[in-house]
PDB file of all heavy atoms in Angstrom:
ATOM      1  N   LEU A 220     -19.065  39.152 -18.051  1.00 90.00           N
ATOM      2  CA  LEU A 220     -17.856  38.464 -17.644  1.00 90.00           C
ATOM      3  C   LEU A 220     -17.402  37.424 -18.676  1.00 90.00           C
ATOM      4  O   LEU A 220     -16.204  37.305 -18.942  1.00 90.00           O
ATOM      5  CB  LEU A 220     -18.073  37.789 -16.284  1.00 90.00           C
ATOM      6  CG  LEU A 220     -17.982  38.705 -15.065  1.00 90.00           C
ATOM      7  CD1 LEU A 220     -18.410  37.956 -13.801  1.00 90.00           C
ATOM      8  CD2 LEU A 220     -16.583  39.255 -14.902  1.00 90.00           C
ATOM      9  N   ARG A 221     -18.344  36.693 -19.253  1.00 88.00           N
ATOM     10  CA  ARG A 221     -17.965  35.718 -20.278  1.00 88.00           C
ATOM     11  C   ARG A 221     -17.240  36.401 -21.439  1.00 88.00           C
ATOM     12  O   ARG A 221     -16.252  35.879 -21.949  1.00 88.00           O
ATOM     13  CB  ARG A 221     -19.211  35.000 -20.797  1.00 88.00           C
ATOM     14  CG  ARG A 221     -19.807  33.984 -19.825  1.00 88.00           C
ATOM     15  CD  ARG A 221     -20.828  33.112 -20.515  1.00 88.00           C
ATOM     16  NE  ARG A 221     -21.516  32.259 -19.546  1.00 88.00           N
ATOM     17  CZ  ARG A 221     -22.639  32.554 -18.914  1.00 88.00           C
ATOM     18  NH1 ARG A 221     -23.232  33.733 -19.174  1.00 88.00           N
ATOM     19  NH2 ARG A 221     -23.169  31.726 -18.058  1.00 88.00           N
ATOM     20  N   TYR A 222     -17.782  37.541 -21.836  1.00 91.00           N
ATOM     21  CA  TYR A 222     -17.179  38.295 -22.942  1.00 91.00           C
ATOM     22  C   TYR A 222     -15.785  38.779 -22.556  1.00 91.00           C
ATOM     23  O   TYR A 222     -14.821  38.616 -23.325  1.00 91.00           O
ATOM     24  CB  TYR A 222     -18.072  39.478 -23.309  1.00 91.00           C
ATOM     25  CG  TYR A 222     -17.576  40.295 -24.484  1.00 91.00           C
ATOM     26  CD1 TYR A 222     -17.855  39.880 -25.789  1.00 91.00           C
ATOM     27  CD2 TYR A 222     -16.866  41.468 -24.302  1.00 91.00           C
ATOM     28  CE1 TYR A 222     -17.414  40.626 -26.888  1.00 91.00           C
ATOM     29  CE2 TYR A 222     -16.433  42.217 -25.374  1.00 91.00           C
ATOM     30  CZ  TYR A 222     -16.694  41.796 -26.672  1.00 91.00           C
ATOM     31  OH  TYR A 222     -16.258  42.521 -27.741  1.00 91.00           O
ATOM     32  N   LEU A 223     -15.634  39.305 -21.359  1.00 91.00           N
ATOM     33  CA  LEU A 223     -14.348  39.856 -20.916  1.00 91.00           C
ATOM     34  C   LEU A 223     -13.309  38.765 -20.723  1.00 91.00           C
ATOM     35  O   LEU A 223     -12.114  38.990 -20.946  1.00 91.00           O
ATOM     36  CB  LEU A 223     -14.531  40.665 -19.618  1.00 91.00           C
ATOM     37  CG  LEU A 223     -15.338  41.962 -19.758  1.00 91.00           C
ATOM     38  CD1 LEU A 223     -15.632  42.547 -18.403  1.00 91.00           C
ATOM     39  CD2 LEU A 223     -14.605  42.972 -20.653  1.00 91.00           C
ATOM     40  N   LEU A 224     -13.735  37.591 -20.277  1.00 88.00           N
ATOM     41  CA  LEU A 224     -12.792  36.493 -20.064  1.00 88.00           C
ATOM     42  C   LEU A 224     -12.178  36.013 -21.383  1.00 88.00           C
ATOM     43  O   LEU A 224     -11.113  35.359 -21.378  1.00 88.00           O
ATOM     44  CB  LEU A 224     -13.508  35.296 -19.395  1.00 88.00           C
ATOM     45  CG  LEU A 224     -13.729  35.466 -17.878  1.00 88.00           C
ATOM     46  CD1 LEU A 224     -14.733  34.426 -17.381  1.00 88.00           C
ATOM     47  CD2 LEU A 224     -12.415  35.334 -17.137  1.00 88.00           C
ATOM     48  N   GLN A 225     -12.814  36.349 -22.495  1.00 88.00           N
ATOM     49  CA  GLN A 225     -12.297  35.954 -23.812  1.00 88.00           C
ATOM     50  C   GLN A 225     -11.366  37.018 -24.392  1.00 88.00           C
ATOM     51  O   GLN A 225     -10.805  36.857 -25.480  1.00 88.00           O
ATOM     52  CB  GLN A 225     -13.431  35.701 -24.778  1.00 88.00           C
ATOM     53  CG  GLN A 225     -14.355  34.545 -24.340  1.00 88.00           C
ATOM     54  CD  GLN A 225     -15.608  34.470 -25.199  1.00 88.00           C
ATOM     55  OE1 GLN A 225     -15.758  35.185 -26.207  1.00 88.00           O
ATOM     56  NE2 GLN A 225     -16.522  33.606 -24.803  1.00 88.00           N
ATOM     57  N   ARG A 226     -11.174  38.125 -23.671  1.00 88.00           N
ATOM     58  CA  ARG A 226     -10.384  39.223 -24.154  1.00 88.00           C
ATOM     59  C   ARG A 226      -9.115  39.406 -23.330  1.00 88.00           C
ATOM     60  O   ARG A 226      -9.149  39.256 -22.094  1.00 88.00           O
ATOM     61  CB  ARG A 226     -11.187  40.540 -24.161  1.00 88.00           C
ATOM     62  CG  ARG A 226     -12.488  40.493 -24.987  1.00 88.00           C
ATOM     63  CD  ARG A 226     -12.190  40.276 -26.454  1.00 88.00           C
ATOM     64  NE  ARG A 226     -13.370  40.321 -27.306  1.00 88.00           N
ATOM     65  CZ  ARG A 226     -14.191  39.289 -27.535  1.00 88.00           C
ATOM     66  NH1 ARG A 226     -13.940  38.124 -26.950  1.00 88.00           N
ATOM     67  NH2 ARG A 226     -15.231  39.399 -28.351  1.00 88.00           N
ATOM     68  N   THR A 227      -8.036  39.788 -23.970  1.00 86.00           N
ATOM     69  CA  THR A 227      -6.795  40.035 -23.227  1.00 86.00           C
ATOM     70  C   THR A 227      -6.501  41.551 -23.066  1.00 86.00           C
ATOM     71  O   THR A 227      -5.634  41.917 -22.282  1.00 86.00           O
ATOM     72  CB  THR A 227      -5.610  39.385 -23.967  1.00 86.00           C
ATOM     73  OG1 THR A 227      -5.561  39.915 -25.289  1.00 86.00           O
ATOM     74  CG2 THR A 227      -5.760  37.871 -24.009  1.00 86.00           C
ATOM     75  N   GLU A 228      -7.258  42.358 -23.812  1.00 91.00           N
ATOM     76  CA  GLU A 228      -7.052  43.813 -23.743  1.00 91.00           C
ATOM     77  C   GLU A 228      -8.352  44.473 -23.197  1.00 91.00           C
ATOM     78  O   GLU A 228      -9.432  43.891 -23.255  1.00 91.00           O
ATOM     79  CB  GLU A 228      -6.768  44.378 -25.136  1.00 91.00           C
ATOM     80  CG  GLU A 228      -5.488  43.801 -25.755  1.00 91.00           C
ATOM     81  CD  GLU A 228      -4.244  44.249 -25.030  1.00 91.00           C
ATOM     82  OE1 GLU A 228      -4.294  45.330 -24.403  1.00 91.00           O
ATOM     83  OE2 GLU A 228      -3.233  43.503 -25.070  1.00 91.00           O
ATOM     84  N   PRO A 229      -8.227  45.719 -22.672  1.00 94.00           N
ATOM     85  CA  PRO A 229      -9.401  46.442 -22.233  1.00 94.00           C
ATOM     86  C   PRO A 229     -10.423  46.587 -23.352  1.00 94.00           C
ATOM     87  O   PRO A 229     -10.063  46.701 -24.531  1.00 94.00           O
ATOM     88  CB  PRO A 229      -8.850  47.794 -21.810  1.00 94.00           C
ATOM     89  CG  PRO A 229      -7.418  47.523 -21.438  1.00 94.00           C
ATOM     90  CD  PRO A 229      -6.967  46.456 -22.384  1.00 94.00           C
ATOM     91  N   VAL A 230     -11.696  46.609 -22.983  1.00 93.00           N
ATOM     92  CA  VAL A 230     -12.794  46.618 -23.963  1.00 93.00           C
ATOM     93  C   VAL A 230     -13.572  47.935 -23.790  1.00 93.00           C
ATOM     94  O   VAL A 230     -13.816  48.390 -22.677  1.00 93.00           O
ATOM     95  CB  VAL A 230     -13.712  45.402 -23.749  1.00 93.00           C
ATOM     96  CG1 VAL A 230     -14.952  45.507 -24.634  1.00 93.00           C
ATOM     97  CG2 VAL A 230     -12.955  44.121 -24.011  1.00 93.00           C
ATOM     98  N   ASP A 231     -13.955  48.520 -24.907  1.00 93.00           N
ATOM     99  CA  ASP A 231     -14.804  49.706 -24.863  1.00 93.00           C
ATOM    100  C   ASP A 231     -16.211  49.289 -24.388  1.00 93.00           C
ATOM    101  O   ASP A 231     -16.726  48.270 -24.786  1.00 93.00           O
ATOM    102  CB  ASP A 231     -14.890  50.349 -26.243  1.00 93.00           C
ATOM    103  CG  ASP A 231     -15.579  51.691 -26.190  1.00 93.00           C
ATOM    104  OD1 ASP A 231     -16.850  51.702 -26.204  1.00 93.00           O
ATOM    105  OD2 ASP A 231     -14.900  52.725 -26.161  1.00 93.00           O
ATOM    106  N   ILE A 232     -16.783  50.082 -23.498  1.00 90.00           N
ATOM    107  CA  ILE A 232     -18.093  49.751 -22.941  1.00 90.00           C
ATOM    108  C   ILE A 232     -19.151  49.683 -24.029  1.00 90.00           C
ATOM    109  O   ILE A 232     -20.108  48.888 -23.930  1.00 90.00           O
ATOM    110  CB  ILE A 232     -18.494  50.771 -21.845  1.00 90.00           C
ATOM    111  CG1 ILE A 232     -17.525  50.621 -20.645  1.00 90.00           C
ATOM    112  CG2 ILE A 232     -19.916  50.545 -21.382  1.00 90.00           C
ATOM    113  CD1 ILE A 232     -17.756  51.613 -19.530  1.00 90.00           C
ATOM    114  N   GLU A 233     -19.032  50.485 -25.072  1.00 89.00           N
ATOM    115  CA  GLU A 233     -19.981  50.403 -26.176  1.00 89.00           C
ATOM    116  C   GLU A 233     -19.968  49.028 -26.810  1.00 89.00           C
ATOM    117  O   GLU A 233     -21.015  48.430 -27.078  1.00 89.00           O
ATOM    118  CB  GLU A 233     -19.619  51.460 -27.224  1.00 89.00           C
ATOM    119  CG  GLU A 233     -19.925  52.886 -26.842  1.00 89.00           C
ATOM    120  CD  GLU A 233     -21.388  53.254 -27.131  1.00 89.00           C
ATOM    121  OE1 GLU A 233     -22.070  52.450 -27.805  1.00 89.00           O
ATOM    122  OE2 GLU A 233     -21.821  54.289 -26.627  1.00 89.00           O
ATOM    123  N   ASP A 234     -18.752  48.495 -27.033  1.00 90.00           N
ATOM    124  CA  ASP A 234     -18.630  47.159 -27.622  1.00 90.00           C
ATOM    125  C   ASP A 234     -19.171  46.096 -26.663  1.00 90.00           C
ATOM    126  O   ASP A 234     -19.828  45.123 -27.108  1.00 90.00           O
ATOM    127  CB  ASP A 234     -17.174  46.852 -27.965  1.00 90.00           C
ATOM    128  CG  ASP A 234     -16.617  47.774 -29.058  1.00 90.00           C
ATOM    129  OD1 ASP A 234     -17.430  48.304 -29.831  1.00 90.00           O
ATOM    130  OD2 ASP A 234     -15.385  47.972 -29.074  1.00 90.00           O
ATOM    131  N   LEU A 235     -18.925  46.266 -25.397  1.00 91.00           N
ATOM    132  CA  LEU A 235     -19.415  45.301 -24.402  1.00 91.00           C
ATOM    133  C   LEU A 235     -20.944  45.302 -24.373  1.00 91.00           C
ATOM    134  O   LEU A 235     -21.568  44.250 -24.316  1.00 91.00           O
ATOM    135  CB  LEU A 235     -18.842  45.637 -23.025  1.00 91.00           C
ATOM    136  CG  LEU A 235     -19.263  44.725 -21.866  1.00 91.00           C
ATOM    137  CD1 LEU A 235     -18.814  43.278 -22.123  1.00 91.00           C
ATOM    138  CD2 LEU A 235     -18.695  45.235 -20.554  1.00 91.00           C
ATOM    139  N   ALA A 236     -21.533  46.496 -24.407  1.00 88.00           N
ATOM    140  CA  ALA A 236     -22.993  46.597 -24.412  1.00 88.00           C
ATOM    141  C   ALA A 236     -23.590  45.906 -25.611  1.00 88.00           C
ATOM    142  O   ALA A 236     -24.629  45.202 -25.510  1.00 88.00           O
ATOM    143  CB  ALA A 236     -23.416  48.067 -24.375  1.00 88.00           C
ATOM    144  N   THR A 237     -22.967  46.057 -26.776  1.00 87.00           N
ATOM    145  CA  THR A 237     -23.437  45.382 -27.999  1.00 87.00           C
ATOM    146  C   THR A 237     -23.386  43.866 -27.815  1.00 87.00           C
ATOM    147  O   THR A 237     -24.325  43.150 -28.181  1.00 87.00           O
ATOM    148  CB  THR A 237     -22.587  45.805 -29.193  1.00 87.00           C
ATOM    149  OG1 THR A 237     -22.700  47.241 -29.369  1.00 87.00           O
ATOM    150  CG2 THR A 237     -23.080  45.112 -30.470  1.00 87.00           C
ATOM    151  N   ALA A 238     -22.273  43.384 -27.302  1.00 87.00           N
ATOM    152  CA  ALA A 238     -22.091  41.939 -27.120  1.00 87.00           C
ATOM    153  C   ALA A 238     -23.096  41.374 -26.153  1.00 87.00           C
ATOM    154  O   ALA A 238     -23.698  40.314 -26.379  1.00 87.00           O
ATOM    155  CB  ALA A 238     -20.683  41.647 -26.664  1.00 87.00           C
TER     156      ALA A 238
END
Side-chain angles (χ1 to χ4, degrees):
L220 281 172
R221 287 193 187 91
Y222 183 82
L223 292 172
L224 282 166
Q225 298 171 7
R226 302 295 185 275
T227 58
E228 299 293 334
V230 173
D231 189 277
I232 293 177
E233 287 277 348
D234 295 336
L235 180 61
T237 300

